[in-house]
Amino acid sequence: MIRKREWRVIRPGSAEKAGSIRLLNDGVHVADLHLYYWCAPDHADSHLAVRKSSFEVRSLQEGTPLLRLDYLHDAHSVPAAHWNVHAERGAASVLLARCNPKHKGLLSQVHIPVGGTRYRPCLEDFLEMLLREFDFDACPHWEDAVRAGRRRWRLLQTRSVVRDSPDTAAAVLEKLGYTVIPPPEGARAANDDALYER
């Protein structure tokens, strides 16, 4: 059982000052990876759950963000999990400025949804994108670590999805030949909030 007020911030650096992870190309420091997790008890107070996270790449050349994958569990005006791409482009900027002036023509203010709370990319997805697409230096056998981490993440999310929709999980298991016995107190209701969130 997790205490109600227990929460954790996970990030590089110290408790007093956030840090970053240096990204190298041919041994030269070219960018920084900023990571941040804010965790708190889940709705049942039985697991520590991510409530907010951010994975961000900043180029040393400008010091501004290039890509950011954000997650905010209690998001209302933006998708819970979304990309922000800081790569302004004439055609996109003109269209945004014309159609939605609140974006001020900035592509970086567009929130590109990526599956909500349950189906969002994990840190390993983000890291693999950086290593493959930007060709940053990597440790030997990094692929094995990424695959193992992604598997752990997806198994955790599978458990959460089953808790969100137990009737669907039971129906799938029965179709696979399993015998599913509902609890004596009756079937648990689906967590519709999780199923509908963007």
Side-chain angles (χ1 to χ4, degrees), residues 26 28 35 48-49 57 76-77 79 104 111 117 123 181 188:
D26 292 329
V28 177
L35 302 173
L48 204 55
V57 178
H76 300 291
S77 61
K104 302 176 189 157
H111 301 88
T117 297
L123 176 59
I181 302 168
R188 189 173 143 202

Side-chain angles (χ1 to χ4, degrees), residues 133-155:
E133 303 300 331
F134 288 87
D135 200 24
F136 291 125
D137 295 352
C139 296
H141 310 293
W142 67 266
E143 296 99 334
D144 297 335
V146 163
R147 285 174 50 86
R150 183 180 289 128
R151 182 178 190 279
R152 279 190 306 274
W153 167 254
R154 290 184 179 168
L155 288 174

Side-chain angles (χ1 to χ4, degrees), residues 3-107:
R3 293 188 303 268
K4 273 275 192 205
R5 298 191 179 273
E6 188 173 344
W7 57 273
R8 298 281 184 265
V9 173
I10 303 165
R11 66 177 187 211
S14 66
E16 298 79 35
K17 184 177 180 194
S20 62
I21 298 169
R22 295 164 42 112
L23 298 174
L24 310 177
N25 180 263
D26 292 329
V28 177
H29 183 196
V30 293
D32 287 316
L33 174 60
H34 295 263
L35 302 173
Y36 172 88
Y37 287 97
W38 187 84
C39 303
D42 66 2
H43 64 280
D45 289 331
S46 58
H47 298 93
L48 204 55
V50 175
R51 295 297 180 206
K52 182 178 181 180
S53 66
S54 181
F55 312 151
E56 178 182 282
V57 178
R58 289 180 179 248
S59 168
L60 287 187
Q61 186 174 3
E62 295 178 6
T64 57
L66 300 175
L67 299 169
R68 193 174 70 244
L69 180 60
D70 288 331
Y71 170 66
L72 181 59
H73 178 75
D74 295 323
H76 300 291
S77 61
V78 298
H82 60 269
W83 281 104
N84 287 103
V85 180
H86 296 254
E88 306 314 327
R89 182 170 175 253
S93 295
V94 168
L95 190 61
L96 278 170
R98 177 180 180 186
C99 299
N100 190 347
K102 76 176 183 179
H103 284 313
K104 302 176 189 157
L106 297 174
L107 185 60

Side-chain angles (χ1 to χ4, degrees), residues 155-178:
L155 288 174
L156 281 170
Q157 292 307 94
T158 299
R159 290 183 194 110
S160 297
V161 169
V162 167
R163 284 193 308 270
D164 287 343
S165 188
D167 285 346
T168 302
V172 170
L173 287 170
E174 286 173 343
K175 195 167 187 172
L176 291 173
Y178 288 83

Side-chain angles (χ1 to χ4, degrees), residues 116-141:
T117 297
R118 299 295 182 233
Y119 301 102
R120 68 189 189 271
C122 61
L123 176 59
E124 288 79 4
D125 294 326
F126 191 81
L127 293 174
E128 182 167 1
M129 181 270 303
L130 292 179
L131 295 172
R132 290 200 189 280
E133 303 300 331
F134 288 87
D135 200 24
F136 291 125
D137 295 352
C139 296
H141 310 293

